[in-house]
Amino acid sequence: MHVSRRKIFAVVAAAGLVTSGLAACGDGTKDDAAGGDDGKIVLGFAQVGAESGWRTANTKSIQDSAKAAGIELQFSDAQQKQENQIKAIRGYIQQKVDVIAFSPVVNTGWDPVLKEAKAAGIPVILTDRAVDSTDTSLYVTFIGSDFIVEGQRAADWLLKQYEGKNEQVNIVELQGSPGAAPAIDRKKGFGDAIAANPNFKIIASQTGEFTRAKGKEVMTAFLQSNPDIDVLYAHNDDMALGAIQAIEEAGKKPGVDIKIISIDGVKDAFQAMVDGKINVVVECNPLLGPQLMELVQKVTKGETIEKRILTEEGVFTQDQAAAALPTREY
Ligand code: AHR
């Protein structure tokens, strides 16, 4: 007799063996409609979009790892729109996939669809970005970076550069997509860390939507209205790379006339550090696929899973870039 994996999950969770706290409260008795009887776990993954090099690497990591683990992947691209992502998740619920994973476009407004997944007995794994739901039983675990720490690391590097100096430092900030956890947290982490020093002033801050095109457009506007920019803090590499073009077109030297701090660590950003155009990159690791597949397997077996799984990351400066570039995986 075929026994649904979600049924196993529901029984084990109700018995308290899954420490995530997600106990299925739906009927939990239906067979795996999406997986059929071929024994394969079916994972529905709702991706944010394809806005950046980081995201492309993240998607590839998930697709490659699903294949390697023998997990059937249903994949959707929300094109940076929450309504598309909710639609995709509802589709996975209807298909009765074994597990749903997603990287939320924004951090608010997820409770209704997460409750629907819970009612259907389908465990949900958050990857990369968190949600603001106070009911943490709506998801099994959250795997990804600490974006506040990333913002702090960016500020720490900057504070060190100006240690012992008393001049005013004019900073412009390219924020990520409005409402996205990395945009909110990277702003906060950086802002809080420089707040104690009145010499550091964020003179302009606007979204560049995590894309090169928008990063360039907004940086062009920043340069037109602010003749005296010392530092650019970009919430991701794509916006920093777009901004470099704007700075060069304005006749200035990126990395020299304007110091550039970026987050992610894609190969193009490492090359820009080698070329002297980006000064420092705070790493944010997109290669979450292998760990995600392990979690998917564990959750379907009803094994214990930590509620928060943190990604380990570093900080890279220009003097480390040439040595690190050949081994960068994304
Ligand atoms: O959520 C991670 C962020 O999303 C990355 O830093 C950015 O490049 C991506 O678009």
Side-chain angles (χ1 to χ4, degrees):
M1 196 182 75
H2 177 68
V3 181
S4 159
R5 272 191 204 88
R6 279 180 295 107
K7 191 173 178 183
I8 294 170
F9 173 77
V11 170
V12 174
L17 297 176
V18 174
T19 54
S20 66
L22 178 75
C25 55
D27 61 18
T29 56
K30 292 170 236 134
D31 281 346
D32 289 345
D37 285 324
D38 63 359
K40 271 196 170 183
I41 298 170
V42 181
L43 167 67
F45 190 90
Q47 182 58 291
V48 173
E51 73 282 4
S52 63
W54 189 100
R55 189 65 55 197
T56 307
N58 180 245
T59 292
K60 188 173 175 330
S61 170
I62 287 158
Q63 289 172 336
D64 291 352
S65 321
K67 211 171 169 191
I71 290 173
E72 187 182 319
L73 179 68
Q74 306 278 329
F75 184 89
S76 57
D77 173 339
Q79 299 182 332
Q80 298 233 64
K81 292 200 175 82
Q82 184 178 29
E83 64 264 32
N84 291 346
Q85 227 174 12
I86 290 175
K87 219 170 151 188
I89 294 169
R90 291 211 164 109
Y92 296 143
I93 295 170
Q94 269 183 357
Q95 281 181 63
K96 299 173 183 163
V97 299
D98 295 304
V99 181
I100 292 171
F102 75 114
S103 170
V105 173
V106 292
N107 71 345
T108 55
W110 295 102
D111 282 24
V113 74
L114 289 177
K115 281 180 185 161
E116 289 166 37
K118 182 174 174 175
I122 302 176
V124 174
I125 297 175
L126 302 175
T127 73
D128 162 37
R129 299 179 179 181
V131 296
D132 75 343
S133 306
T134 47
D135 180 0
T136 56
S137 77
L138 295 176
Y139 56 89
V140 182
T141 184
F142 164 39
I143 171 174
S145 311
D146 185 329
F147 299 131
I148 292 192
V149 167
E150 290 175 351
Q152 282 165 354
R153 288 180 177 156
D156 287 348
W157 178 85
L158 184 62
L159 292 167
K160 251 202 184 126
Q161 301 311 301
Y162 289 91
E163 219 165 33
K165 296 181 186 158
N166 210 19
E167 66 212 70
Q168 179 169 319
V169 181
N170 291 333
I171 304 163
V172 294
E173 178 181 33
L174 283 170
Q175 297 178 38
S177 318
I184 297 166
D185 292 353
R186 287 171 186 168
K187 180 166 187 51
K188 181 172 169 43
F190 184 86
D192 286 354
I194 61 164
N197 189 330
N199 290 342
F200 291 85
K201 284 206 161 35
I202 299 182
I203 56 169
S205 180
Q206 213 179 297
T207 180
E209 292 167 9
F210 280 134
T211 68
R212 281 193 200 203
K214 197 74 186 170
K216 181 179 177 191
E217 184 190 312
V218 177
M219 189 68 200
T220 302
F222 282 166
L223 287 157
Q224 279 161 2
S225 43
N226 303 282
D228 199 11
I229 300 171
D230 299 304
V231 175
L232 162 66
Y233 169 45
H235 288 193
N236 85 339
D237 289 340
D238 283 78
M239 294 189 295
L241 292 162
I244 286 172
Q245 290 175 25
I247 294 168
E248 286 175 335
E249 283 171 21
K252 296 194 177 203
K253 274 191 160 187
V256 179
D257 298 329
I258 298 177
K259 290 193 171 57
I260 301 183
I261 307 168
S262 183
I263 299 183
D264 276 356
V266 300
K267 278 184 188 163
D268 286 356
F270 270 76
Q271 187 57 57
M273 277 199 285
V274 171
D275 298 340
K277 297 180 181 185
I278 290 181
N279 301 79
V280 63
V281 167
V282 176
E283 191 180 34
C284 179
N285 188 354
L287 308 178
L288 304 176
Q291 265 178 300
L292 173 62
M293 298 314 146
E294 268 178 42
L295 289 171
V296 167
Q297 282 163 334
K298 278 188 174 176
V299 80
T300 53
K301 287 186 204 148
E303 286 179 22
T304 300
I305 287 175
E306 280 173 65
K307 197 75 194 178
R308 175 74 169 103
I309 298 165
L310 207 55
T311 319
E312 278 181 27
E313 289 146 351
V315 175
F316 293 86
T317 48
Q318 283 181 350
D319 52 323
Q320 299 164 307
L325 182 55
T327 58
R328 292 303 293 169
E329 286 181 69
Y330 58 97

